[in-house]
Amino acid sequence: MEKESNFSHTESLALIESMINKATNRFNEDGFLYLLWGWVVLICSVTEFFLLRIRFEKHYLVWTLTWAAVIFQIFFLRRKRQKQRVRTYTDDIVKYVWITFIIIMFLAAVLIGTIQGKEYYKLIDPIFLVIYGMPTFLSGVILRFKPLMWGGIGCWGLSLLTAVIPVEYHLLLVSAAMVVAWIMPGYLLRLKYKKTNP
């Protein structure tokens, strides 16, 4: 009886250990939201750039596409949460990094618009590029995923370029930032996710 009890106790520990290892090795980030937002912002920034070139008065309306992406993201995350079996501490940290990013983006947009008035366009893209780099770099550190870290650094480098490139081309720098910070890492995250979650 004692031997049986010891055996089941050892077996239980082995089972718990294997479950912990499985949860640790499982990579939950599939890159979908990086790709979603990367492509949405890329399409909006390139479209607005061309609308400005042809002097279309309501060029800014293209950014209403981001509201459709927000609504889609809410439903996507709700569904993902229902399916998710294991939620890690890493998942929670990354979530709060991106919540912080959204708050900072909103405050920056309001403050720049209020302080600069009609001249907001001179500062909005340089500041947004700096802000884009923060959650991208931190997510890379948390997930131990170097393409995101390099993407964040890329955003900061592109923000410095706004000081020497004419304002009318700043939207193209935002487009480039989306490619290096979110789209390329997004596809690489998908590959990593598929490898670790067969």
Coordinates of all heavy atoms in Angstrom, one line a residue, residues 139-182:
S139 N 7.5 44.5 -26.0 CA 6.9 43.2 -26.3 C 8.0 42.2 -26.8 O 8.0 41.0 -26.4 CB 5.8 43.3 -27.4 OG 4.7 44.0 -26.9
G140 N 8.9 42.7 -27.5 CA 10.1 41.9 -28.0 C 10.9 41.4 -26.8 O 11.3 40.3 -26.8
V141 N 11.1 42.3 -25.8 CA 11.9 41.9 -24.6 C 11.1 40.9 -23.8 O 11.7 39.9 -23.4 CB 12.2 43.2 -23.7 CG1 12.8 42.8 -22.4 CG2 13.1 44.2 -24.5
I142 N 9.8 41.1 -23.6 CA 9.0 40.2 -22.8 C 8.9 38.8 -23.4 O 9.0 37.8 -22.8 CB 7.6 40.8 -22.5 CG1 7.7 42.1 -21.7 CG2 6.7 39.8 -21.8 CD1 6.5 43.0 -21.8
L143 N 8.6 38.8 -24.8 CA 8.5 37.6 -25.5 C 9.8 36.9 -25.9 O 9.8 35.9 -26.5 CB 7.6 37.8 -26.8 CG 6.2 38.3 -26.5 CD1 5.6 38.7 -27.9 CD2 5.4 37.1 -25.9
R144 N 10.9 37.7 -25.6 CA 12.3 37.2 -26.1 C 12.3 37.0 -27.6 O 12.7 36.0 -28.0 CB 12.7 36.0 -25.3 CG 12.9 36.2 -23.8 CD 13.2 35.0 -23.1 NE 13.2 35.2 -21.7 CZ 13.2 34.3 -20.8 NH1 13.2 33.0 -21.1 NH2 13.2 34.6 -19.5
F145 N 11.7 38.0 -28.3 CA 11.6 37.9 -29.8 C 12.3 39.1 -30.4 O 11.8 40.2 -30.4 CB 10.1 37.8 -30.1 CG 9.9 37.4 -31.5 CD1 10.2 36.1 -32.0 CD2 9.3 38.3 -32.4 CE1 9.9 35.8 -33.3 CE2 9.1 38.0 -33.7 CZ 9.4 36.7 -34.2
K146 N 13.5 38.9 -30.9 CA 14.3 40.0 -31.4 C 13.8 40.8 -32.5 O 14.0 42.0 -32.6 CB 15.7 39.5 -31.7 CG 16.6 39.2 -30.5 CD 18.0 38.9 -30.8 CE 18.8 38.6 -29.5 NZ 20.2 38.2 -29.7
P147 N 13.0 40.2 -33.5 CA 12.5 41.0 -34.6 C 11.6 42.1 -34.1 O 11.6 43.2 -34.7 CB 11.7 40.0 -35.4 CG 12.4 38.7 -35.2 CD 12.8 38.7 -33.8
L148 N 10.8 41.9 -33.0 CA 10.0 43.0 -32.4 C 10.9 44.0 -31.8 O 10.6 45.3 -31.9 CB 9.1 42.4 -31.3 CG 7.8 41.8 -31.9 CD1 7.0 41.2 -30.7 CD2 6.9 42.8 -32.6
M149 N 12.0 43.6 -31.1 CA 12.9 44.6 -30.5 C 13.5 45.5 -31.6 O 13.6 46.7 -31.5 CB 14.0 43.9 -29.7 CG 13.5 43.2 -28.5 SD 14.7 42.0 -27.7 CE 15.9 43.2 -27.1
W150 N 14.0 44.8 -32.7 CA 14.5 45.6 -33.8 C 13.5 46.5 -34.5 O 13.8 47.6 -34.9 CB 15.2 44.7 -34.8 CG 16.5 44.1 -34.4 CD1 16.8 42.8 -34.0 CD2 17.7 44.9 -34.2 NE1 18.1 42.7 -33.6 CE2 18.7 44.0 -33.7 CE3 18.0 46.2 -34.3 CZ2 20.0 44.4 -33.4 CZ3 19.3 46.6 -34.0 CH2 20.3 45.7 -33.6
G151 N 12.2 46.0 -34.5 CA 11.1 46.8 -35.0 C 10.9 48.1 -34.2 O 10.7 49.2 -34.8
G152 N 11.0 48.0 -32.9 CA 10.9 49.1 -32.0 C 12.0 50.1 -32.2 O 11.8 51.3 -32.3
I153 N 13.2 49.6 -32.3 CA 14.4 50.5 -32.6 C 14.2 51.1 -34.0 O 14.5 52.3 -34.1 CB 15.7 49.6 -32.5 CG1 15.9 49.2 -31.1 CG2 16.9 50.4 -33.0 CD1 17.0 48.1 -30.9
G154 N 13.7 50.4 -34.9 CA 13.4 50.9 -36.3 C 12.5 52.1 -36.2 O 12.7 53.1 -36.9
C155 N 11.4 52.0 -35.4 CA 10.5 53.1 -35.2 C 11.2 54.4 -34.7 O 10.9 55.5 -35.2 CB 9.3 52.7 -34.3 SG 8.1 51.6 -35.0
W156 N 12.0 54.2 -33.7 CA 12.8 55.3 -33.2 C 13.7 55.9 -34.2 O 13.9 57.2 -34.3 CB 13.5 54.9 -31.9 CG 12.6 54.5 -30.8 CD1 11.3 54.9 -30.6 CD2 12.8 53.5 -29.8 NE1 10.7 54.3 -29.5 CE2 11.6 53.4 -29.0 CE3 13.9 52.6 -29.5 CZ2 11.5 52.5 -27.9 CZ3 13.7 51.7 -28.4 CH2 12.6 51.7 -27.7
G157 N 14.4 55.1 -35.0 CA 15.3 55.6 -36.0 C 14.5 56.4 -37.1 O 14.9 57.5 -37.5
L158 N 13.3 55.9 -37.5 CA 12.5 56.6 -38.4 C 11.9 57.9 -37.9 O 11.8 58.9 -38.6 CB 11.3 55.7 -38.9 CG 11.7 54.5 -39.8 CD1 10.6 53.5 -39.9 CD2 12.1 55.0 -41.2
S159 N 11.7 57.9 -36.5 CA 11.2 59.2 -35.9 C 12.3 60.3 -36.0 O 12.0 61.4 -36.2 CB 10.8 58.9 -34.5 OG 12.0 58.8 -33.6
L160 N 13.6 59.9 -35.9 CA 14.7 60.8 -36.1 C 14.8 61.4 -37.5 O 15.1 62.5 -37.7 CB 16.0 60.2 -35.6 CG 16.1 59.9 -34.1 CD1 17.4 59.1 -33.9 CD2 16.1 61.2 -33.3
L161 N 14.4 60.5 -38.4 CA 14.4 60.9 -39.9 C 13.4 62.1 -40.2 O 13.6 62.8 -41.1 CB 14.2 59.8 -40.8 CG 15.3 58.8 -41.1 CD1 14.9 57.7 -42.0 CD2 16.5 59.5 -41.7
T162 N 12.4 62.1 -39.3 CA 11.4 63.2 -39.6 C 11.9 64.6 -39.4 O 11.4 65.5 -39.9 CB 10.1 63.0 -38.6 OG1 10.6 63.1 -37.3 CG2 9.4 61.7 -38.9
A163 N 13.1 64.7 -38.7 CA 13.7 66.0 -38.5 C 14.4 66.5 -39.8 O 14.6 67.7 -39.9 CB 14.7 65.9 -37.4
V164 N 14.7 65.6 -40.7 CA 15.4 66.0 -41.9 C 14.7 65.7 -43.2 O 15.1 66.1 -44.3 CB 16.8 65.2 -42.0 CG1 17.7 65.7 -40.9 CG2 16.7 63.7 -42.0
I165 N 13.5 65.0 -43.1 CA 12.7 64.8 -44.3 C 11.5 65.7 -44.2 O 10.9 65.9 -43.2 CB 12.3 63.3 -44.3 CG1 13.5 62.4 -44.6 CG2 11.1 63.0 -45.2 CD1 13.3 60.9 -44.6
P166 N 11.1 66.3 -45.4 CA 9.9 67.2 -45.4 C 8.7 66.6 -44.9 O 8.5 65.3 -45.0 CB 9.8 67.5 -46.9 CG 11.1 67.2 -47.5 CD 11.7 66.1 -46.7
V167 N 7.9 67.4 -44.2 CA 6.6 66.9 -43.5 C 5.7 66.1 -44.4 O 5.1 65.1 -44.0 CB 5.9 68.2 -43.0 CG1 4.5 67.8 -42.4 CG2 6.7 68.9 -41.9
E168 N 5.6 66.5 -45.7 CA 4.7 65.8 -46.6 C 5.1 64.3 -46.8 O 4.3 63.5 -47.3 CB 4.5 66.5 -48.0 CG 5.8 66.7 -48.7 CD 6.5 68.1 -48.5 OE1 6.3 68.6 -47.4 OE2 7.1 68.6 -49.4
Y169 N 6.3 63.9 -46.5 CA 6.7 62.5 -46.6 C 6.7 61.7 -45.3 O 7.1 60.6 -45.3 CB 8.1 62.5 -47.3 CG 8.1 63.0 -48.7 CD1 8.7 64.3 -48.9 CD2 7.6 62.3 -49.7 CE1 8.7 64.8 -50.2 CE2 7.6 62.8 -51.0 CZ 8.1 64.1 -51.3 OH 8.1 64.6 -52.5
H170 N 6.3 62.4 -44.3 CA 6.3 61.7 -43.0 C 5.4 60.4 -42.9 O 5.7 59.5 -42.3 CB 5.9 62.6 -41.8 CG 7.0 63.6 -41.5 ND1 6.8 64.5 -40.5 CD2 8.2 63.8 -42.0 CE1 7.9 65.3 -40.4 NE2 8.8 64.8 -41.3
L171 N 4.3 60.5 -43.7 CA 3.4 59.4 -43.7 C 4.0 58.1 -44.3 O 3.7 57.0 -44.0 CB 2.1 59.7 -44.5 CG 1.1 60.6 -43.8 CD1 0.1 61.2 -44.7 CD2 0.4 59.7 -42.7
L172 N 5.0 58.4 -45.2 CA 5.7 57.2 -45.8 C 6.7 56.6 -44.8 O 6.9 55.4 -44.8 CB 6.5 57.7 -47.1 CG 5.7 58.1 -48.3 CD1 6.6 58.5 -49.4 CD2 4.7 57.0 -48.7
L173 N 7.2 57.4 -43.9 CA 8.0 56.9 -42.8 C 7.1 56.0 -41.8 O 7.6 55.0 -41.3 CB 8.7 58.0 -42.0 CG 9.7 58.8 -42.8 CD1 10.2 60.0 -41.9 CD2 10.8 58.0 -43.2
V174 N 5.9 56.5 -41.6 CA 4.9 55.7 -40.8 C 4.7 54.3 -41.5 O 4.7 53.3 -40.8 CB 3.6 56.4 -40.6 CG1 2.6 55.5 -39.9 CG2 3.8 57.7 -39.7
S175 N 4.5 54.4 -42.8 CA 4.3 53.1 -43.6 C 5.5 52.2 -43.4 O 5.3 51.0 -43.2 CB 4.1 53.5 -45.1 OG 3.1 54.4 -45.2
A176 N 6.7 52.8 -43.5 CA 7.9 52.0 -43.4 C 8.0 51.4 -42.0 O 8.4 50.2 -41.8 CB 9.2 52.8 -43.7
A177 N 7.6 52.1 -41.0 CA 7.6 51.7 -39.6 C 6.7 50.5 -39.4 O 7.0 49.5 -38.7 CB 7.2 52.8 -38.6
M178 N 5.5 50.5 -40.1 CA 4.6 49.4 -40.0 C 5.2 48.1 -40.6 O 5.0 47.0 -40.0 CB 3.3 49.7 -40.8 CG 2.5 50.8 -40.1 SD 2.1 50.4 -38.4 CE 3.3 51.3 -37.5
V179 N 6.0 48.2 -41.6 CA 6.6 47.0 -42.3 C 7.7 46.4 -41.3 O 7.7 45.2 -41.1 CB 7.2 47.4 -43.6 CG1 8.0 46.2 -44.2 CG2 6.2 47.8 -44.6
V180 N 8.5 47.3 -40.8 CA 9.7 46.8 -39.9 C 9.2 46.4 -38.5 O 9.8 45.5 -37.9 CB 10.9 47.8 -39.9 CG1 11.4 48.0 -41.3 CG2 10.5 49.1 -39.2
A181 N 8.2 47.1 -38.0 CA 7.8 46.9 -36.6 C 6.7 45.9 -36.4 O 6.7 45.2 -35.4 CB 7.4 48.2 -36.0
W182 N 5.8 45.8 -37.3 CA 4.6 45.0 -37.0 C 4.4 43.9 -38.1 O 4.1 42.8 -37.8 CB 3.3 45.8 -36.9 CG 3.4 46.7 -35.6 CD1 4.3 46.6 -34.6 CD2 2.5 47.7 -35.3 NE1 4.0 47.6 -33.7 CE2 2.9 48.3 -34.0 CE3 1.3 48.3 -35.9 CZ2 2.2 49.3 -33.4 CZ3 0.6 49.3 -35.2 CH2 1.1 49.8 -34.0

